[in-house]
Amino acid sequence: MAAKEHRKRSVSFSELVDAPLPITHPRPISFKKTIEHIELDLANQPVDPCKRGPDSTINYTELFLASTYINDARYARSYKHKVEQEYLKYYALYNTAFLTYALYFFLFLNLSLALFEEPAVNNLSLPYWSTMLMELLCLGYFTFRLVHSKRFSSGLRWWTDTKHLITVIILLLTCIDIILYIILKEACNSCTVVRWSRCLRPLFLVNFTEMKQLRRSFRNIRRTLPEIFYVLILLFIVIGLFALLMRELFKDENLFMPDGTPYMTAYWDNIWHLYVLVTTVNSPDIMMPAYDKNAWNVLIFIAYIIICIYILMSIFLAVIYKNYRKHLKNEVQRSVFAKRRQLNRAFDILKVFNGNQFIIPWVRWKVVMKLVVPHRSEVLIRLLWDIIDEDEDDQIGKAEFMHVVDLLNTEISEVADRIPLIGRTFPQCYESTISRKIKDCVRAPIFRYFFDVIIAINAFCIGFRWDQTEWFFLTLFTLEIILKLYTLGGHQFCRKPWNVFDFVVIMGALIASIVESVTEDNLDFLLVLRVLRLVRIIAEIERFKVILATVANIGPSILSFGAVLFVVYYVFAIIGMEVFGGLITHYGYPDKYDDPSQEYCGNIKLKGSVFYREHYCHNNFNNIINSMILLIELTVVNQWHIIASGFVLVTNKSARLFFILFHMSVVIVVINIFIAFILEVFMVEFSLSNNNFESTVERRINELGLGVTEIAEGKFEAQSPKKCLKARGRETNQEDLVDNGAPIASEDALENGGQDTTEGNARARDDGVRFRLKGRSRNVEVVLQRLFEGELNRDDLGSSNVTNIDDLEPEDMTPTPLTFENIT
C-alpha cells in the first residue's frame, strides 16, 4: 500500500514539472535494537555537495523545503518551523490564502462586535449572549491558529515568542471577563456591568504573525518612546515652572476669565491651560486678561510660546525622526538578513558542483519554481531564468540566486496585441480605410491634447455656472469614450485606471442628466460628477503624475500607520464609552424641549457652557461610531479643549487626564512618527524612482528581446522577435518574423490579395509571447527593504554568532554609506 501511494505521488509530481531531473521520495528502513530506533533515508541526494552533479537525484522533501525557504524570503515570514516533510505540510497549510483570509475575517468580526454590544450603534443592538457567541467563535479560531502554529514550530521557541504569550494571555483574560459578565448580568439584570476586556481586542490585530507591519510599527514606537520620554519630561517641567510663575504673578491681580472663573490662581488649572496653549488652540484667549491689565504681561507668554512651541516641539519632531528612522532601519535590515539567510539555505539545498563552483542548473530551477509559483506558465519561468542568468552561461550562481525574491516580487505579465470584439465580429469593416484613419486619429497625441483643452474649457464654464453648455461637453466626452472603446477594445481600455474613471464619471453624468431632464428634478449627484470630471486634468500634468505615482507606491506603507491609528482609536474609544458613555446625548437644539431632561445635551451641568453653546452635543462616547468621530476631532486638535471641558463639567477635572493622554499618544507620538516615516519614504521613492530593481528587470527583458515598447495607446511594438520565439522553443523562420506586431503574410496570403487563408492564421497578430512590467511593486516589505538594503554589504548575512535574526542588535550590523550606485 505504501509503495502504491509512493508511485502515485511520484508520477503526479513528475507530470506537474515535466522535467528530466530524477525526483525521489524517502524510502526509509527502520529496525530496532534494544531501545534504539534507527532510520536510514536511502533516497536522499548526496550529503557532500561536491559530489552532486547536474543529474544528481534530489529528494522531494529537500525540494519542498527549498521552495518553502524561498517563499518565506519572498513574503518576509519569520516563523522558525521544523524542516521535516510532515511539519512542512502543516506550515504550508497554515499559510494558505483561505486560512489567512479567514483570520482577517475573524479579526474584523471581533472588532466590529462593538457596533452591536451595549452601548450599541442606533438600531444595531443585539442580546449580549448573541455577541458573546460570535466572540467565542472568534476566540476559537484564534486558538486554532495558535495550536496550528505550534504544530510545526519548536516547542521551546514557540513559548518564548512574546506575541504568542500575549495572545494566550488575552484569550484567557477575555474568557474570564465573559464568565464574570454572564454571572453578574444574570445576578442583577438592571446593574451596569463593565466589559473591561473589550479594549484588549486590538491586541489580537497586533500579535498575529500575519500583521507583521503593524507589529513592527508598534515595536518601533515602543523603542522610540524612551528618547521621547526625556523631552516630554522637560516639556512638563517647563510647563510646571511657568504655571507656578503665572500663579504668583496674577493671584493678587483680581483678574477673571470671560466665563467668570478666577484667572491663573489655581496651579493645576494653570498647567492645563498652558498645556492647551502648546497646541495653540486657546491662543490668544488665555493671554487676553493679563494683556488687558498690562501690556508688558505679554512678554511672559511670548517667552513660553518660543520655548515650548517653537523649540521643544521642534525638538520632539527631530528626536522622533532620528530615533524612529534608526529603529526602522534596524528592523528592515534584520528582515534583509533573514531573507538572505533563507535564500542561502535554499541555495545550499539546490546547488550542485560544476567545474570549480556551486551552481543551480536549469532543471532544478524549473522544478523548484513550479512549487514556488505553481500558477505561472513555463514560458514565464523560463523568462525569469533568462533574466536572473545575466551572464547567459545557462547556470545560476549564488550571487545571482540571491536576487530571486526581488525578481518574484516584480509583476511581469504576458502581452499580446488584442483585437477588440468588434474587430473580430466585423473584421472587414474594422480593418477598412476609414476605420484605420479613425484608430490612427485616436492614437495620435493631438486627440489627447484636444480633449485636454475641452476639459479646461469645461472647467471655465462650470466655474461661471454656464449650465446651458453641459450637454455639449457631455456629448463630446461620451464620443471620446466610444472612440477609445472602438480603438482599444474593452480589455485594453480598462488597463488604464484613468480610462475607467472617465467611463464611470461620464456614464454616470449622462444617466443623471437624462433622469434630471425627464423628472425635472435638480440632482446634487450630477453636480458632483461635473466637478469630478475636472480631476482628469491632474492626470495630464507630468509633474503631478510623478507625485501621484510616488504616493501610490508608498500607499501600502501609509496604510500600516492607518492601522496603528485605528488600534489606538479603538482602545481609547472603548475606554471612553465605559467612562463617559451616556453622560452627554444629542437631542437637537430646539427653542423648547418636550422633555426638560433633554435640555443641555441631557445634562444640566452643561447649562451655560461653551460646549453647549457651540452645539457640541453630538461629540459624545455613546457608541463606537460617535467615539471614533470624536477622537478624529481631537486628533485635528482645533477646539479640543472645549470638547474636553464638556466632559470635565459632567464628571470632574480628572477627566482631563484622558484627553491629555490621547493627545500625547496620537498627536505628539504617532502623528509625528507618521510624518517622519512619510518624509523618509517619500524622499527615497521620489529621488530614486528610476534607480530600482524593476528598471533592471525591464532592461534585461528588452536585452533578451522579449519586451514590448508602447508606441501608441493600445498598440505595442515587439522587440527582437527572434529571441522571443527562441525562448518558447520554436524555430525561427521567415513566417515568424513580425513587423510592429503583425506577421508577414505567407505566400497563400499574397495570392489571395493579402488575406491569409491558412489555418491558424485568422488573427491579425502573431502568437509570439512578449512581456512587460505591470508596474512598480507596492508591497510594504519591498518598499522598506529598498530603503535600507543599500546600506548593507551585498554578502552580509548578519552576525554568525546570532542564529535568530530577531536577536540582532544594531551594533551587529555593518552598514555602508548609502549612495545612488548601491541603492536597490
Side-chain angles (χ1 to χ4, degrees):
M1 183 67 180
K4 183 177 180 181
E5 290 180 356
H6 167 68
R7 287 194 303 271
K8 181 179 179 181
R9 184 169 49 182
S10 299
V11 170
S12 175
F13 184 73
S14 299
E15 290 175 351
L16 172 66
V17 298
D18 191 26
L21 176 68
I23 303 172
T24 63
H25 294 269
R27 292 188 297 122
I29 330 180
S30 302
F31 62 91
K32 291 184 179 180
K33 182 180 180 183
T34 62
I35 60 173
E36 296 179 355
H37 181 80
I38 302 174
E39 186 175 275
L40 302 177
D41 184 3
L42 299 185
N44 203 355
Q45 57 181 325
V47 176
D48 186 358
C50 295
K51 296 182 179 179
R52 298 183 203 158
D55 298 328
S56 296
T57 300
I58 184 170
N59 192 331
Y60 176 76
T61 303
E62 297 291 331
L63 185 65
F64 191 41
L65 179 59
S67 67
T68 302
Y69 284 140
I70 295 173
N71 275 326
D72 285 349
R74 181 185 180 191
Y75 297 112
R77 297 172 186 156
S78 57
Y79 256 116
K80 309 303 184 294
H81 52 77
K82 299 177 182 178
V83 298
E84 292 79 11
Q85 183 174 355
E86 175 188 359
Y87 301 111
L88 289 177
K89 290 180 178 179
Y90 283 112
Y91 183 60
L93 178 63
Y94 182 88
N95 291 311
T96 55
F98 175 78
L99 293 182
T100 302
Y101 285 118
L103 175 64
Y104 296 152
F105 169 78
F106 284 109
L107 286 171
F108 172 79
L109 177 62
N110 192 43
L111 293 172
S112 63
L113 290 177
L115 295 170
F116 311 100
E117 299 168 325
E118 294 297 333
V121 177
N122 297 337
N123 303 321
L124 293 181
S125 179
L126 293 175
Y128 79 87
W129 56 266
S130 61
T131 58
M132 283 190 174
L133 284 177
M134 288 189 284
E135 186 170 10
L136 289 173
L137 181 64
C138 297
L139 298 181
Y141 189 78
F142 299 157
T143 304
F144 162 73
R145 289 291 282 183
L146 287 175
V147 173
H148 192 171
S149 67
K150 191 177 184 305
R151 185 72 179 88
F152 56 78
S153 303
S154 173
L156 179 62
R157 183 167 289 172
W158 192 93
W159 282 110
T160 56
D161 194 323
T162 306
K163 62 180 177 291
H164 294 150
L165 291 177
I166 293 176
T167 305
V168 170
I169 292 172
I170 297 172
L171 285 171
L172 293 176
L173 290 176
T174 304
C175 291
I176 292 172
D177 182 35
I178 290 175
I179 294 172
L180 291 177
Y181 184 88
I182 293 174
I183 294 174
L184 295 175
K185 196 70 176 177
E186 293 298 323
C188 180
N189 191 43
S190 60
C191 297
T192 301
V193 185
V194 176
R195 280 293 314 276
W196 47 266
S197 69
R198 294 198 299 169
C199 62
L200 301 178
R201 288 173 181 170
L203 297 183
F204 286 120
L205 197 65
V206 176
N207 287 286
F208 275 103
T209 304
E210 289 75 9
M211 314 303 293
K212 179 177 181 178
Q213 298 301 329
L214 181 60
R215 187 169 60 258
R216 169 186 286 168
S217 298
F218 273 104
R219 186 163 56 239
N220 290 335
I221 290 173
R222 173 175 56 81
R223 290 172 177 171
T224 307
L225 285 179
E227 290 84 359
I228 301 175
F229 184 69
Y230 294 109
V231 183
L232 196 62
I233 290 177
L234 181 59
L235 174 65
F236 275 101
I237 289 175
V238 172
I239 292 175
L241 290 176
F242 272 89
L244 183 61
L245 178 60
M246 290 183 182
R247 188 191 69 175
E248 297 303 316
L249 282 176
F250 303 118
K251 67 179 181 180
D252 298 327
E253 296 293 333
N254 198 29
L255 300 176
F256 295 92
M257 298 287 288
D259 60 358
T261 58
Y263 180 74
M264 290 292 182
T265 58
Y267 180 68
W268 294 108
D269 285 346
N270 290 0
I271 290 179
W272 166 254
H273 292 309
L274 290 178
Y275 183 84
V276 173
L277 183 56
V278 172
T279 67
T280 72
V281 295
N282 64 345
S283 176
D285 300 355
I286 193 62
M287 182 181 68
M288 293 311 298
Y291 185 34
D292 293 338
K293 179 69 176 178
N294 189 331
W296 291 103
N297 288 334
V298 76
L299 293 177
I300 189 172
F301 287 95
I302 292 176
Y304 177 81
I305 289 171
I306 292 174
I307 293 173
C308 291
I309 298 179
Y310 294 107
I311 296 179
L312 290 180
M313 295 307 293
S314 298
I315 291 175
F316 255 118
L317 180 58
V319 169
I320 287 174
Y321 180 82
K322 175 181 177 296
N323 289 282
Y324 183 79
R325 185 187 188 279
K326 178 184 70 176
H327 296 304
L328 177 64
K329 180 178 71 173
N330 292 336
E331 282 277 346
V332 176
Q333 289 180 344
R334 287 187 182 95
S335 177
V336 172
F337 286 146
K339 177 186 75 172
R340 291 178 178 180
R341 290 189 176 193
Q342 288 161 340
L343 291 177
N344 189 61
R345 297 188 189 105
F347 183 81
D348 287 341
I349 293 172
L350 297 171
K351 68 183 181 183
V352 298
F353 195 71
N354 186 23
N356 58 354
Q357 61 178 338
F358 288 107
I359 56 94
I360 296 178
W362 155 251
V363 65
R364 292 197 172 208
W365 166 270
K366 179 180 177 181
V367 294
V368 78
M369 284 297 108
K370 281 292 185 179
L371 291 177
V372 173
V373 283
H375 302 297
R376 293 200 179 186
S377 66
E378 185 174 323
V379 177
L380 188 55
I381 290 176
R382 178 70 198 191
L383 173 67
L384 298 179
W385 167 271
D386 290 334
I387 292 173
I388 207 168
D389 180 23
E390 195 163 356
D391 55 7
E392 299 183 0
D393 58 355
D394 287 331
Q395 59 186 22
I396 294 176
K398 184 176 180 180
E400 295 169 320
F401 184 76
M402 298 302 281
H403 292 295
V404 64
V405 167
D406 299 319
L407 184 59
L408 291 174
N409 285 330
T410 303
E411 298 184 25
I412 304 174
S413 61
E414 299 181 10
V415 175
D417 290 333
R418 297 175 179 267
I419 300 177
L421 178 62
I422 188 172
R424 296 194 299 270
T425 307
F426 307 102
Q428 292 184 347
C429 178
Y430 189 74
E431 294 298 332
S432 65
T433 303
I434 297 177
S435 176
R436 288 181 180 180
K437 288 182 178 181
I438 292 175
K439 290 184 289 183
D440 290 340
C441 180
V442 172
R443 293 190 177 111
I446 190 65
F447 182 83
R448 186 177 75 251
Y449 298 151
F450 172 77
F451 279 97
D452 290 346
V453 173
I454 295 297
I455 290 174
I457 298 174
N458 185 211
F460 182 83
C461 295
I462 290 178
F464 284 90
R465 307 202 62 174
W466 294 347
D467 295 339
Q468 61 271 22
T469 64
E470 179 59 26
W471 274 105
F472 171 74
F473 290 108
L474 193 55
T475 303
L476 284 180
F477 292 136
T478 304
L479 178 63
E480 179 195 17
I481 297 293
I482 293 173
L483 290 175
K484 280 188 174 182
L485 283 170
Y486 175 80
T487 303
L488 306 177
H491 182 273
Q492 195 66 34
F493 179 87
C494 294
R495 279 191 63 252
K496 287 196 173 183
W498 282 113
N499 285 342
V500 178
F501 176 82
D502 278 351
F503 180 83
V504 173
V505 171
I506 299 304
M507 291 301 106
L510 180 62
I511 294 172
S513 297
I514 295 173
V515 172
E516 187 181 54
S517 300
V518 173
T519 61
E520 297 184 353
D521 293 330
N522 291 326
L523 300 180
D524 294 335
F525 175 68
L526 180 57
L527 297 177
V528 174
L529 291 175
R530 290 173 183 172
V531 176
L532 280 178
R533 194 187 310 160
L534 306 182
V535 176
R536 230 186 73 182
I537 298 176
I538 298 175
E540 304 303 331
I541 301 176
E542 190 62 33
R543 201 59 180 174
F544 286 173
K545 286 182 180 180
V546 175
I547 296 174
L548 292 176
T550 304
V551 172
N553 288 330
I554 66 176
S557 305
I558 296 176
L559 290 178
S560 66
F561 273 93
V564 171
L565 280 175
F566 174 79
V567 169
V568 178
Y569 279 3
Y570 195 95
V571 172
F572 275 94
I574 295 296
I575 295 174
M577 287 192 297
E578 298 294 354
V579 176
F580 304 114
L583 298 179
I584 297 175
T585 305
H586 175 248
Y587 294 108
Y589 306 98
D591 295 333
K592 292 184 179 180
Y593 290 86
D594 296 333
D595 186 353
S597 65
Q598 296 180 355
E599 290 185 305
Y600 311 115
C601 306
N603 198 314
I604 193 63
K605 295 180 180 179
L606 294 175
K607 182 178 180 180
S609 66
V610 179
F611 184 93
Y612 179 74
R613 188 170 65 247
E614 296 292 336
H615 290 187
Y616 281 2
C617 297
H618 221 146
N619 294 324
N620 55 58
F621 287 97
N622 292 350
N623 58 59
I624 190 68
I625 300 297
N626 286 2
S627 301
M628 289 289 187
I629 294 173
L630 174 55
L631 294 177
I632 292 174
E633 294 175 352
L634 294 177
T635 304
V636 178
V637 175
N638 191 39
Q639 299 292 74
W640 76 280
H641 64 301
I642 294 179
I643 296 175
S645 68
F647 290 94
V648 169
L649 289 173
V650 299
T651 53
N652 53 66
K653 291 183 178 180
S654 62
R656 290 171 175 171
L657 291 175
F658 175 87
F659 295 93
I660 290 176
L661 285 174
F662 178 81
H663 181 268
M664 291 169 55
S665 301
V666 174
V667 180
I668 291 181
V669 177
V670 177
I671 296 298
N672 278 325
I673 287 179
F674 175 73
I675 293 172
F677 179 82
I678 293 301
L679 286 174
E680 184 67 24
V681 177
F682 186 85
M683 285 189 297
V684 173
E685 279 285 320
F686 190 75
S687 60
L688 303 179
S689 59
N690 294 323
N691 195 343
N692 50 67
F693 187 79
E694 284 87 348
S695 299
T696 304
V697 171
E698 192 167 26
R699 175 179 58 81
R700 281 291 296 152
I701 291 176
N702 292 335
E703 287 177 356
L704 293 167
L706 304 176
V708 293
T709 301
E710 191 167 353
I711 59 176
E713 188 171 15
K715 186 176 181 181
F716 298 97
E717 181 182 66
Q719 295 182 348
S720 186
K722 291 185 179 181
K723 291 185 179 179
C724 175
L725 299 172
K726 182 179 178 181
R728 298 189 62 201
R730 294 172 52 185
E731 292 183 3
T732 305
N733 52 48
Q734 188 65 25
E735 285 77 18
D736 288 325
L737 295 179
V738 296
D739 182 17
N740 291 334
I744 293 178
S746 62
E747 294 181 3
D748 292 337
L750 295 176
E751 292 176 357
N752 287 280
Q755 300 296 323
D756 199 338
T757 58
T758 55
E759 185 178 357
N761 261 334
R763 296 186 304 167
R765 308 255 183 213
D766 76 308
D767 61 349
V769 180
R770 291 160 285 165
F771 302 90
R772 71 192 305 266
L773 297 188
K774 288 185 178 180
R776 296 280 304 280
S777 174
R778 297 179 182 178
N779 181 278
V780 178
E781 193 69 22
V782 173
V783 172
L784 292 176
Q785 288 185 3
R786 182 183 294 117
L787 279 174
F788 300 112
E789 189 169 6
E791 300 186 33
L792 295 173
N793 291 324
R794 181 174 297 181
D795 299 326
D796 193 357
L797 299 179
S799 175
S800 58
N801 297 325
V802 180
T803 57
N804 188 358
I805 292 297
D806 293 333
D807 296 333
L808 276 174
E809 297 298 330
E811 54 267 21
D812 294 326
M813 303 185 186
T814 56
T816 57
L818 180 63
T819 66
F820 281 91
E821 285 72 27
N822 62 15
I823 187 72
T824 57

